Amino acid sequence: MPIPGPGYAITVRVEAPASASAAGDLAVAVGNVGGVVTAFDVVEARTATIVVDISCNALNSEHADEITEALGAVSGVHVRKVSDRTFLIHLGGKLEVQSKVALRNRDDLSRAYTPGVARVCQAIAANPSDARRLTIKRNTVAVVTDGSAVLGLGNLGAAAAMPVMEGKAALFKRFAGVDAWPVALDTQDTEEIIRTVQVIAPAYGGINLEDIAAPRCFEIERRLREMLDIPVFHDDQHGTAVVVLGALRNALRVVGKKMTDCTIVVCGVGAAGSAIIRLLQSEKPGDVLAVDIDGIVHPERPGLDENLASIAAQTNHRGRRGSLADALVGADVFIGVSAPNLFGADELATMADDAIVFALANPDPEIDPSVAMHHAAVVATGRSDYPNQINNVLAFPGVFRGLLDAQAHDITDRMLLAASAAIADVVHEPNASFIVPSVFDPSVAPAVAEAVRHAAQEAARAGEVAAGR
């Protein structure tokens, strides 16, 4: 059962009678409609009245309205103003630019800008690789979107995607010290996106593709990786896959199973599902069944696009067919990156003993987590109000920190696997309620960065050996 959370937090300013029971009456009113009071601040007091800011968590926008109405219905209470605390932190955006150098006098100006800067420009022109040393390129990532697949909300367009891209950039800085900047493109034409990213790439040390719909995202990432000499990482694909695999490593430790013995059902074969399947194959699972809206993917199924045909060739070794319910029979692991409420307790009961369920559709998972917890040995979701939240922020800040530190020119599956193992290893003693670390664990990003940096440097050395250098 969902509980009120900070995503729908409001602050209601009310004028109430200055009585001994005022605080209790207001708190009871919120509680009676299922809200959670998080703060109670008296901002003004007079002989007969007080003005109070009462902050509450709600379930959704409609519930927030219900809480406001309940407060207004208390005898003698007048609602003055309601503030949505989520919207408040977005006012004016969440990012700003700050100079790293002091500009205190003419000497500072002469070195930071003209005439001194000309010497640095000439040095880079003579040796382009110096851009990584002498410009922001060494620590800067472009967060690129076309707004075609914003969270679980669909095609909202570039402008509406900006709050997500700003948030992503803030997470880069907070968890890994990476300077990231939103690049929201007002086009959903594949060729225009590729060309635009290609021409802006000189300013960046890496490209993070974000919220671009499948199957277009596959071609965009593939082509950009071929064109550019900096890493290109589609977080909706690879960030999700890295964290899922890290969590699955620990979940299997909890239930005492080996990956090579497991049948894994992956429900949803878009960007995230496809990347999860491809990364899982590196660990040689017993079998993987990919399931989409048309059922189990198999090579003879008509109408397979290029991505599904590739998935069909890698999975379902026994040639199984049918629906999601059919796929679940005897499966050891379910990984859902699809849609809400696809199955229930009856289907879950057909899975193998000590089943693992990762129901990651957000905000409503493929199965009610409270139901899953009664039948599965380990349950994970994408939500913050249940244990084992699968959250990409465990991966992408550290991944890019490692890539930038290694001055990497590309990104490989070996680097992704190293990141996944690092996330898993932060949890020293996993249990059913703790298979992934907290996003606020300060050891996560450094561990991921070090693993990726080491893998990138090994790849670079191997490349030098292969080239005879």
Side-chain angles (χ1 to χ4, degrees):
M1 185 74 179
I3 60 174
Y8 290 96
I10 58 172
T11 297
V12 185
R13 177 161 290 186
V14 300
E15 184 177 336
S19 64
S21 64
D25 292 342
L26 293 170
V28 167
V30 173
N32 283 342
V33 293
V36 175
V37 176
T38 59
F40 189 97
D41 301 296
V42 178
V43 297
E44 183 180 322
R46 296 177 179 171
T47 304
T49 62
I50 56 173
V51 177
V52 174
D53 282 348
I54 183 165
S55 298
C56 317
N57 286 346
L59 290 169
N60 48 44
S61 298
E62 293 75 19
H63 189 212
D65 292 339
E66 188 179 357
I67 291 170
T68 303
E69 292 173 5
L71 288 168
V74 175
S75 178
V77 169
H78 168 65
V79 174
R80 286 191 178 181
K81 182 181 180 181
V82 181
S83 299
D84 187 312
R85 299 179 67 193
T86 297
F87 275 79
L88 285 177
I89 72 165
H90 287 80
L91 285 178
K94 301 188 289 292
L95 304 175
E96 65 180 8
V97 174
Q98 287 187 323
S99 176
K100 293 168 63 177
V101 298
L103 298 173
R104 298 161 297 189
N105 50 47
R106 287 179 182 270
D107 286 353
D108 289 344
L109 191 60
S110 295
R111 284 188 289 268
Y113 199 50
T114 185
V117 72
R119 294 172 53 219
V120 183
C121 295
Q122 290 171 323
I124 294 172
N127 184 12
S129 65
D130 272 354
R132 288 181 183 260
R133 186 171 64 90
L134 297 172
T135 75
I136 61 171
K137 185 182 183 80
R138 70 181 295 170
N139 195 52
T140 304
V141 170
V143 184
V144 178
T145 188
D146 67 354
S148 59
V150 180
L151 301 176
L153 304 173
N155 189 351
L156 300 186
M162 278 294 291
V164 180
M165 303 309 114
E166 289 183 17
K168 200 86 174 188
L171 293 172
F172 268 111
K173 189 67 172 179
R174 165 64 176 80
F175 292 108
V178 172
D179 296 315
W181 195 254
V183 179
L185 304 180
D186 194 15
T187 177
Q188 295 182 358
D189 179 85
T190 297
E191 296 301 325
E192 278 196 309
I193 293 169
I194 291 169
R195 178 58 181 157
T196 302
V197 176
Q198 181 187 18
V199 298
I200 68 169
Y204 299 97
I207 304 294
N208 184 97
L209 301 175
E210 190 76 21
D211 289 357
I212 300 175
R216 183 167 63 253
C217 61
F218 302 129
E219 181 176 2
I220 290 170
E221 182 192 51
R222 177 182 61 79
R223 296 259 304 275
L224 287 173
R225 285 187 171 188
E226 293 170 355
M227 290 176 172
L228 303 181
D229 69 344
I230 57 176
V232 178
F233 179 86
H234 185 202
D235 187 49
D236 299 321
Q237 292 185 64
H238 308 300
T240 303
V242 164
V243 182
V244 165
L245 183 55
L248 183 56
R249 289 173 188 267
N250 282 339
L252 290 172
R253 288 171 62 190
V254 171
V255 299
K257 294 183 180 181
K258 296 180 179 179
M259 186 85 73
T260 51
D261 297 330
C262 288
T263 296
I264 301 171
V265 174
V266 179
C267 182
V269 200
S274 299
I276 289 167
I277 290 168
R278 291 192 170 99
L279 202 61
L280 276 173
Q281 298 294 0
S282 303
E283 301 296 287
K284 297 180 170 51
D287 200 3
V288 175
L289 299 180
V291 182
D292 65 5
I293 193 170
D294 295 316
I296 300 172
V297 177
H298 57 86
E300 288 75 38
R301 205 180 84 178
L304 298 181
D305 61 24
E306 182 180 354
N307 178 59
L308 287 177
S310 174
I311 295 296
Q314 301 175 57
T315 61
N316 195 6
H317 304 316
R318 288 170 287 173
R320 291 174 60 175
R321 307 184 182 200
S323 65
L324 172 61
D326 296 316
L328 288 172
V329 176
D332 299 279
V333 179
F334 170 83
I335 300 171
V337 280
S338 51
N341 305 315
L342 295 183
F343 67 102
D346 291 344
E347 293 84 359
L348 185 56
T350 68
M351 293 182 68
D353 292 341
D354 293 324
I356 296 167
V357 172
F358 289 3
L360 308 182
N362 240 335
D364 298 315
E366 287 82 358
I367 182 173
D368 184 334
S370 60
V371 172
M373 289 173 183
H374 282 297
H375 298 272
V378 181
V379 177
T381 72
R383 297 176 58 115
S384 61
D385 51 352
Y386 290 100
N388 299 327
Q389 184 190 19
I390 306 299
N391 192 325
N392 287 14
V393 76
L394 289 167
F396 69 82
V399 166
F400 270 99
R401 178 74 276 151
L403 293 170
L404 292 168
D405 290 347
Q407 297 190 14
H409 295 283
D410 57 15
I411 184 167
T412 66
D413 282 352
R414 181 171 293 184
M415 298 174 202
L416 298 178
L417 290 168
S420 179
I423 291 169
D425 289 345
V426 169
V427 180
H428 300 298
E429 297 183 11
N431 60 54
S433 297
F434 186 49
I435 58 171
V436 286
S438 164
V439 298
F440 292 103
D441 185 331
S443 65
V444 175
V448 173
E450 175 60 21
V452 171
R453 184 187 64 79
H454 181 71
Q457 290 173 336
E458 280 194 340
R461 285 193 291 269
E464 290 175 359
V465 171
R469 292 197 290 270

